[in-house]
Amino acid sequence: MNDYHINIFYSADDGGYICDVPDLKACSAFGATPDEALRQVRIAKAAWIKAAKDAGKPVPPPRYRPAIYQLVS
């Protein structure tokens, strides 16, 4: 895997779509459509990574995998 997993889901409470990046704490975005939310979270992801680097903080590697991809031994 060479990029971060992104979750996209509809929020009735917010009246739109939420995207989040599980590997990047508090990195999320909102949009009226799934495409808009995805565009916004990509911007948020880039800003999150830049802010961490600028502050000298570690950027975690992409690790999150949805349960569907996890194999049971």
Side-chain angles (χ1 to χ4, degrees):
M1 178 171 37
N2 58 8
D3 202 0
Y4 293 96
H5 176 82
I6 296 172
N7 293 313
I8 302 174
F9 57 94
Y10 181 75
S11 170
D13 291 341
D14 296 309
Y17 291 85
I18 306 290
C19 283
D20 71 343
V21 182
D23 287 319
L24 305 178
K25 186 176 180 178
C27 183
S28 64
F30 174 84
T33 66
D35 287 339
E36 181 183 354
L38 183 58
R39 278 192 303 275
Q40 293 301 318
V41 85
R42 286 181 173 151
I43 293 167
K45 179 180 78 168
W48 194 105
I49 292 169
K50 181 180 182 326
K53 287 180 178 179
D54 288 351
K57 295 185 178 182
V59 175
R63 290 191 180 155
Y64 178 86
R65 297 293 283 173
I68 195 167
Y69 291 103
Q70 297 172 7
L71 298 176
V72 177
S73 315

